[in-house]
Amino acid sequence: MDYSREKDIMEAKILQTVLAGVGCTTPEDREMVLIAHEGEDWRTVLSRFREKFHLFHAQDLERYKEHHQRMVMLRDVAMVGEKILKVARSYVKSKLATVVREAVSQFPPEMQENEQVLYEALEGIEEVQLWTKARRHMEGDWKFVLIPSNIPNAFVSEILPHRIFITTSLIENFVESDDELALTLGHEVSHLILGHSSNRNSFEVFFRTAEILLLSLDPTEGLLSLAFMTFLASVRHAIGAEFSRNDERSADELGIKLCAMACFDTRQASRVFYKMHIADVESGKQAASSRTGLISFFDSHPPSEERYHSLLEESGEENREKYEDTTCASLTTIFRDAMKPQEKTGK
């Protein structure tokens, strides 16, 4: 049996399901999906595109323009995404090293001297597990998937790892600059780093198990359990929404940090959430001002206006100036450091 082929078939089916979830359902829609690989030479890619679609240019100018616009859109996603991934890998590696050092420092000397015992102890520490898993998630070559869809969305998925998905609608309606795109992608990568998908799965398993247990213990053959399960489902939804809102806030916090580390303008980047707020108001999803603290128990995301103001405030701390001596070092800074007098060492 060709297991690699089985894996490819399964992956294709999962991808088809993921695409359907954002409105990309027909074979024609799926043919329009564009995928870029991390590290691609975009001058070569666009040159090949122009050669391939030269016939369209001659016979159908509108079709050529549409394809070319989406290719440029994908290029922007890939180029910004690579910068976010680079700093995300560096951040995760640094965090893992920090939590491991802190954990080891708490162990007695005899444990520190025994590698096997030490590693087993480290594996049992929750924070070490989180950042170890995050590092594994970030390793490897990534893909950037541009989906033709009227549903504005961007996301990453553990079941289809090393991919950032984003729809054309999100870019066309909300993203006007690389700064805004960087914050959007940084936010989605942060969900993966922080293990939010795994946490949600564990939460769902817990409540589903409780529901099954109620059914098995009910002496009324399901009548009593039916009422309890209806109540439990509401509780699960409400608690799940609260977890989701907290996840969104923590992904915003890490996302803007990654955006700053990648040297984007975080103040300008925050405007993407203001535009989302305006869209929510116009569609009737939110009131003109949502800063009253009145959030539905069942809202899975904090109000976009609240997120915008929080990120705008955070941009005062998390900005590229903060990292001008590290990840955002300019040529001026590099040359200035290079010209510093060398300290003399004693013989």
Side-chain angles (χ1 to χ4, degrees):
M1 180 181 292
D2 187 347
Y3 289 102
S4 62
R5 178 171 172 76
E6 287 289 323
K7 180 183 176 182
D8 291 342
I9 293 173
M10 179 60 69
E11 193 172 279
K13 290 180 178 178
I14 295 173
L15 177 59
Q16 187 171 322
T17 302
V18 169
L19 296 177
V22 287
C24 184
T25 56
T26 67
E28 293 76 18
D29 288 338
R30 291 193 290 271
E31 285 181 7
M32 298 288 281
V33 173
L34 296 177
I35 300 176
H37 295 259
E38 187 178 2
E40 282 190 303
D41 181 350
W42 277 95
R43 286 179 297 182
T44 302
V45 171
L46 290 176
S47 176
R48 289 174 181 167
F49 167 81
R50 284 189 286 268
E51 291 175 6
K52 181 178 179 181
F53 289 96
H54 177 73
L55 185 62
F56 289 160
H57 196 185
Q59 298 182 355
D60 189 343
L61 182 58
E62 288 304 314
R63 188 177 179 187
Y64 173 82
K65 285 182 177 179
E66 180 185 352
H67 279 271
H68 186 266
Q69 182 182 12
R70 291 193 303 112
M71 284 296 295
V72 171
M73 198 180 289
L74 179 65
R75 177 203 62 186
D76 293 343
V77 170
M79 294 181 72
V80 171
E82 287 183 14
K83 293 179 181 179
I84 292 296
L85 291 175
K86 180 180 179 180
V87 296
R89 289 183 180 117
S90 174
Y91 177 78
V92 168
K93 183 178 180 180
S94 175
K95 285 292 292 185
L96 177 58
T98 299
V99 298
V100 167
R101 283 196 301 269
E102 290 176 352
V104 170
S105 68
Q106 302 299 314
F107 295 151
E110 58 272 18
M111 182 181 289
Q112 296 182 29
E113 294 170 2
N114 188 322
E115 282 194 356
Q116 183 176 350
V117 173
L118 177 63
Y119 294 160
E120 288 176 356
L122 287 172
E123 287 175 0
I125 298 175
E126 186 175 349
E127 196 170 8
V128 173
Q129 292 175 1
L130 169 67
W131 292 106
T132 300
K133 189 174 182 180
R135 182 166 180 180
R136 287 172 179 162
H137 279 316
M138 296 308 303
E139 289 174 349
D141 297 325
W142 282 61
K143 298 176 184 177
F144 306 94
V145 184
L146 181 66
I147 307 170
S149 171
N150 293 324
I151 301 174
N153 204 351
F155 54 94
V156 295
S157 171
E158 287 191 6
I159 60 173
L160 284 175
H162 302 124
R163 291 171 175 83
I164 297 178
F165 296 89
I166 189 166
T167 65
T168 52
S169 178
L170 178 64
I171 297 174
E172 291 167 347
N173 291 298
F174 299 106
V175 175
E176 298 180 82
S177 67
D178 285 352
D179 301 312
E180 294 174 346
L181 181 57
L183 181 56
T184 302
L185 301 182
H187 172 90
E188 299 307 328
V189 170
S190 295
H191 276 305
L192 184 69
I193 291 173
L194 297 172
H196 291 161
S197 179
S198 298
N199 293 343
R200 282 194 294 271
N201 290 340
S202 299
F203 170 79
E204 285 290 330
V205 168
F206 171 79
F207 269 92
R208 297 295 184 187
T209 302
E211 290 171 0
I212 293 171
L213 184 61
L214 275 175
L215 279 174
S216 65
L217 297 176
D218 185 8
T220 64
E221 299 183 350
L223 294 177
L224 185 60
S225 289
L226 183 61
F228 273 111
M229 286 180 66
T230 302
F231 170 74
L232 195 60
S234 297
V235 172
R236 172 166 52 85
H237 192 178
I239 296 176
E242 176 64 22
F243 273 121
S244 182
R245 290 194 295 271
N246 291 335
D247 286 350
E248 292 301 322
R249 292 186 180 101
S250 58
D252 283 348
E253 291 174 6
L254 178 53
I256 199 168
K257 177 183 284 290
L258 297 179
C259 186
M261 290 177 67
C263 314
F264 291 98
D265 186 333
T266 51
R267 185 175 182 83
Q268 289 299 317
S270 304
R271 285 187 53 79
V272 69
F273 285 97
Y274 180 73
K275 285 179 279 188
M276 290 179 183
H277 165 64
I278 295 300
D280 286 342
V281 171
E282 292 176 349
S283 67
K285 291 181 179 179
Q286 286 184 16
S289 178
S290 58
R291 302 184 72 189
T292 60
L294 297 177
I295 300 175
S296 167
F297 283 119
F298 301 104
D299 288 341
S300 62
H301 286 58
S304 299
E305 186 186 22
E306 174 195 312
R307 297 172 72 184
Y308 165 64
H309 286 286
S310 296
L311 287 166
L312 197 60
E313 182 177 349
E314 190 71 17
S315 70
E317 172 66 23
E318 288 296 338
N319 50 60
R320 56 191 171 196
E321 288 77 17
K322 178 179 179 179
Y323 301 98
E324 62 183 5
D325 292 330
T326 53
T327 56
C328 298
S330 64
L331 283 175
T332 302
T333 303
I334 293 171
F335 290 155
R336 186 184 298 121
D337 288 344
M339 290 185 293
K340 284 180 180 178
Q342 297 294 316
E343 294 183 5
K344 293 183 179 180
T345 58
K347 292 184 180 181

